[in-house]
Amino acid sequence: MCFGIPMRIRAIDGLVAHCEAKGVERQASLLMLAHESLVVGDYVVVHLGHAIERVDPEAAAEAWRLYDEMLAAGRG
């Protein structure tokens, strides 16, 4: 099973976003969101190295709350 991970854009270099979530940094292609006006600080859902959706900070936080719950349940 694969999940899209909400990440915050830290820098943009052409069609590549340098993103961060929970201290982990990744690069993500912005090709699928080329029609969006993305800026540093925006949140995107990253899946398999591609930003696939822009989300608001509240949606990103809610997703991470759920992911953290799942991870905690798996450790129990």
Side-chain angles (χ1 to χ4, degrees):
M1 179 185 315
C2 296
F3 289 100
I5 303 299
M7 302 187 84
R8 186 171 186 210
I9 296 175
R10 295 290 186 190
I12 297 174
D13 183 15
L15 287 175
V16 176
H18 303 272
C19 302
E20 183 272 331
K22 297 207 170 238
V24 175
E25 296 182 13
R26 294 284 185 268
Q27 291 184 0
S29 169
L30 295 176
L31 186 60
M32 294 176 69
L33 297 179
H35 62 283
E36 299 263 355
S37 297
L38 297 169
V39 297
V40 171
D42 282 344
Y43 286 83
V44 291
V45 175
V46 177
H47 180 67
L48 298 173
H50 298 271
I52 61 171
E53 179 182 11
R54 176 196 276 174
V55 293
D56 59 42
E58 294 79 17
E62 176 63 10
W64 272 109
R65 185 188 67 73
L66 293 171
Y67 294 159
D68 287 340
E69 278 185 29
M70 288 187 290
L71 290 169
R75 291 185 198 118

